[in-house]
Amino acid sequence: MNMNKCFITGLVVTFILNTGVIQTASAHGYVSTPESRAFLCKKGQNIDCGTIKYEPQSVEGPKNFPAEGPANGTIASGGNSRFPELDAQSPNRWAKVNLHTGNNSFIWTLTQAHKTTNWRYFITRQGWDSSKKLERNSFDLIPFCQINGNDAVPVSPVQHTCSIPSDRSGYHVILATWDIADTGNAFYQVIDANIIQ
């Protein structure tokens, strides 16, 4: 093996061993406004989050929710086995952000952009059970907002104006998905919202 290659490999292994950090090549976007569950883990407002606190941009899993995508009970983690803590669910488990019905701004911070099929936003249905892990039947399965990505590579930050349904109030979860055009994956973010009329 080339000595330069050995030296570089040694540095990478040493970095991983010393820091415990493993960078993934597929870690690329999170909802920063309103602050998502993963982002609030990074900020320390959500606790006992596991390793997602280091990389809120890494909630990546199979795309095409709800027909495909992560299994029921693993929607918040995108079905990603590295982040099972995100799937915990109870009425008081997660910090909540205040949102009003009607138009709201949703901003994705991208650490690496991808060709985009679409961005979609789903919300829990009225009467959902906040004490159970998120399943498809927790949500209205028609997105309340969808933005076509036209297979283009977006520039960060990406901002969307979406109208939260007027018949929602109190604690609801918003699921934001970013479907990638040239891979089989999507990025998933959940937002724990206290919705005010």
Side-chain angles (χ1 to χ4, degrees), residues 23-32 39 42 52-60 82 107-116 119 153-158 178 180 187 189:
Q23 295 295 323
T24 59
S26 57
H28 304 305
Y30 61 93
V31 177
S32 51
F39 187 45
K42 178 181 174 67
I52 195 64
K53 66 184 178 182
Y54 303 114
E55 46 180 328
Q57 72 276 13
S58 298
V59 186
E60 184 178 13
R82 295 172 56 215
I107 299 174
W108 285 76
T109 295
L110 310 182
T111 58
Q112 183 174 335
H114 293 279
K115 289 182 180 177
T116 299
W119 315 79
V153 177
V155 176
S156 185
V158 175
W178 171 26
I180 306 307
F187 292 90
Q189 293 281 289

Side-chain angles (χ1 to χ4, degrees), residues 73-169:
T74 68
I75 292 170
S77 67
N80 192 318
S81 61
R82 295 172 56 215
F83 309 121
E85 293 85 356
L86 289 176
D87 292 315
Q89 185 62 54
S90 74
N92 300 309
R93 171 64 178 92
W94 303 106
K96 297 167 185 67
V97 294
N98 289 327
L99 294 175
H100 289 270
T101 56
N103 285 345
N104 287 267
S105 179
F106 291 83
I107 299 174
W108 285 76
T109 295
L110 310 182
T111 58
Q112 183 174 335
H114 293 279
K115 289 182 180 177
T116 299
T117 301
N118 58 43
W119 315 79
R120 293 175 298 145
Y121 298 86
F122 303 84
I123 191 167
T124 46
R125 60 179 73 233
Q126 294 188 72
W128 74 291
D129 189 343
S130 62
S131 66
K132 294 182 179 177
K133 288 186 176 184
L134 295 171
E135 299 189 349
R136 282 160 177 76
N137 65 10
S138 305
F139 292 92
D140 284 342
L141 295 180
I142 297 173
F144 68 88
C145 184
Q146 179 167 324
I147 312 295
N148 192 337
N150 299 309
D151 291 346
V153 177
V155 176
S156 185
V158 175
Q159 182 170 345
H160 304 133
T161 299
C162 297
S163 183
I164 293 176
S166 61
D167 61 353
R168 300 301 196 278
S169 64

Side-chain angles (χ1 to χ4, degrees), residues 5-18:
K5 228 179 243 187
C6 288
F7 177 73
I8 291 169
T9 302
L11 285 178
V12 171
V13 170
T14 301
F15 174 78
I16 291 170
L17 292 175
N18 288 340

Side-chain angles (χ1 to χ4, degrees), residues 171-185:
Y171 179 32
H172 281 275
V173 171
I174 294 170
L175 171 65
T177 67
W178 171 26
D179 279 13
I180 306 307
D182 53 2
T183 78
N185 285 348

